[in-house]
Amino acid sequence: MANTQDMTDPNSNGVPDMAKSLCKDLSITLAKFPRVALGHLPTPLEPMDRLSEELGGPRLWVKRDDCTGLSSGGNKTRKLEFLMADALQQGADTIITQGATQSNHARQTAAAAAKLGLACHILLEDRTGSDDPSYILNGNVLLDRLHGASVSKRGGGADMNAEMEALAETLLKEGKRPYIIPGGGSNPIGALGYVNCARELAEQAIHMGLKIDALVHATGSSGTQAGLVAGLAAIQSDIHLLGIGVRAPQEKQESMVHDLALRTASYMGTGTEIPRDSVRANCDYVGPGYGLATDGMIAALKLLAQTEGLLFDPVYSGKGLDGLIDQIRKGYFDGMENVVFLHTGGSAALFGYPDSFGLPGYLT
Ligand SMILES: *Cc1c(COP(=O)(O)O)cnc(C)c1O
């Protein structure tokens, strides 16, 4: 645990002072963008000591973005603080977004729209082909509908952006003022939420006297990682950032993240450079495909539930953890002392996958 020595040592070479002032500059930059408060921020940064002992590698920490507060939490809430503010500024009265059937983004968007008094239309793409009633109607889908969103489905492989545009046309003709949020809220506006998270985490670490060596998280539509990449670059952090892919192959995932990080930095207007090699994704844990269970995900999810009392999700954070655990065992983090896993949320999706965990369907 941090002691006074840890707190003062880095101070002597001025690193925290410089880091503090870079964090402050970044808050000033971010304050120029419209934002509505939706999340419980800052989210906690907690040690995972039972897991660290079990794995015997670096000390593991969890950044609790599953505790952002809105409709059971998750990473989309940070993005929505900026996206919803932009929608309001443009005079929108209706939000349109899309995602996979068990989309956490859709659920958090439906909740944010409800909180702000906006109508919400959600298009769900059937990416898995599952006809399990729990998958189709429970978990996030149940919550989307409880929040009052109008939810409809589209076939796997549909052009979801075109579908959203067509819906917007129809709503415009009805006199509505629709605002389209891309899948995952992943554009430069949404990514600002994770630029802000990079700053928040760096400030927390300074405060705790903690030197974070690496930050690991699940990466999908890329806004989370792109925001973190741009934010860490803006504060000149040397934290090693690693995304664990849940869908695309590595080359595609990394170039999506890099492209969005560049666009985000340019949107911020700070002239921050984003080196291509600051974008790292390991896409070896996707398994048979997006949203399909893997043995590693199930083992990781159970291990965390049973060592730390934490819930993760089958599609994103569970596969991210599988990657973290396997890479610890393979020595990827050797020589590092503190590794943080960013918990991006998603446990509501567990109820869409009740049969994946090998638990008998009865009690004795
Ligand atoms: C959306 C999501 C992610 C991935 O974030 P992106 O910004 O889409 O890359 C990770 N974990 C959970 C639980 C999510 O819902």
Side-chain angles (χ1 to χ4, degrees):
M1 202 48 216
N3 56 32
T4 325
Q5 195 60 35
D6 294 329
M7 304 280 288
T8 50
D9 250 348
N11 257 318
S12 58
N13 59 21
V15 168
D17 287 342
M18 191 177 85
K20 265 185 211 161
S21 94
L22 289 166
C23 286
K24 192 155 174 257
D25 292 349
L26 185 53
S27 336
I28 294 167
T29 301
L30 287 170
K32 292 178 186 145
F33 295 91
R35 179 171 168 192
V36 286
L38 294 172
H40 297 175
L41 306 179
T43 57
L45 175 60
E46 298 169 340
M48 297 195 286
D49 287 340
R50 292 233 314 135
L51 181 69
S52 308
E53 196 176 316
E54 173 85 22
L55 298 175
R59 186 165 194 207
L60 300 173
W61 299 76
V62 57
K63 172 71 172 159
R64 300 289 308 272
D65 275 15
D66 58 321
C67 297
T68 47
L70 189 70
S71 183
S72 82
N75 62 337
K76 304 312 180 306
T77 299
R78 287 186 189 271
K79 302 179 183 183
L80 287 163
E81 290 200 334
F82 291 93
L83 290 162
M84 286 297 193
D86 188 55
L88 292 173
Q89 199 174 55
Q90 295 193 22
D93 59 12
T94 305
I95 303 296
I96 300 175
T97 198
Q98 63 97 3
T101 305
Q102 283 294 333
S103 167
N104 302 298
H105 163 69
R107 183 237 319 148
Q108 289 161 84
T109 304
K115 185 174 165 72
L116 298 170
L118 304 172
C120 183
H121 290 258
I122 288 172
L123 303 181
L124 296 178
E125 179 193 356
D126 176 17
R127 287 188 204 158
T128 66
S130 167
D131 56 8
D132 179 339
S134 298
Y135 182 76
I136 298 169
L137 289 172
N138 205 337
N140 283 305
V141 185
L142 171 68
L143 301 184
D144 295 342
R145 298 165 95 193
L146 281 178
H147 287 304
S150 119
V151 184
S152 53
K153 59 181 180 179
R154 297 291 185 273
D159 180 342
M160 296 302 281
N161 289 329
E163 295 290 332
M164 289 197 293
E165 292 292 346
L167 176 57
E169 283 300 312
T170 309
L171 291 168
L172 269 173
K173 284 185 193 131
E174 293 171 6
K176 304 280 171 36
R177 298 177 61 102
Y179 180 93
I180 294 179
I181 294 181
S186 287
N187 61 15
I189 301 174
L192 292 179
Y194 273 88
V195 172
N196 185 46
C197 180
R199 178 208 54 80
E200 179 183 301
L201 181 64
E203 284 188 344
Q204 256 170 337
I206 293 170
H207 202 73
M208 294 163 72
L210 178 71
K211 162 97 175 65
I212 298 173
D213 297 301
L215 176 61
V216 182
H217 68 96
T219 180
S221 68
S222 82
T224 301
Q225 189 170 2
L228 290 172
V229 166
L232 292 173
I235 57 173
Q236 297 173 25
S237 167
D238 58 3
I239 293 177
H240 180 100
L241 182 66
L242 176 65
I244 306 291
V246 300
R247 192 177 188 193
Q250 179 181 11
E251 188 46 46
K252 183 176 174 200
Q253 187 67 26
E254 289 185 349
S255 58
M256 266 167 51
V257 171
H258 188 229
D259 175 65
L260 183 52
L262 289 171
R263 288 189 288 131
T264 304
S266 119
Y267 185 65
M268 289 197 293
T270 46
T272 308
E273 281 182 32
I274 311 288
R276 174 62 182 79
D277 65 6
S278 66
V279 177
R280 304 172 199 92
N282 182 327
C283 299
D284 295 345
Y285 302 91
V286 179
Y290 173 89
L292 301 176
T294 62
D295 292 344
M297 175 280 287
I298 291 166
L301 206 140
K302 284 185 176 169
L303 181 64
L304 270 283
Q306 294 169 20
T307 54
E308 295 291 340
L310 291 173
L311 295 176
F312 291 82
D313 81 282
V315 182
Y316 296 94
S317 56
K319 286 184 181 174
L321 271 178
D322 180 24
L324 171 73
I325 292 168
D326 192 52
Q327 290 302 316
I328 289 171
R329 293 192 169 129
K330 290 186 167 142
Y332 182 89
F333 302 101
D334 283 2
M336 297 192 190
E337 279 174 25
N338 294 294
V339 173
V340 177
F341 186 72
L342 172 66
H343 190 333
T344 44
S347 62
L350 284 171
F351 306 101
Y353 288 79
D355 299 333
S356 300
F357 301 98
L359 303 170
Y362 54 82
L363 299 177
T364 52

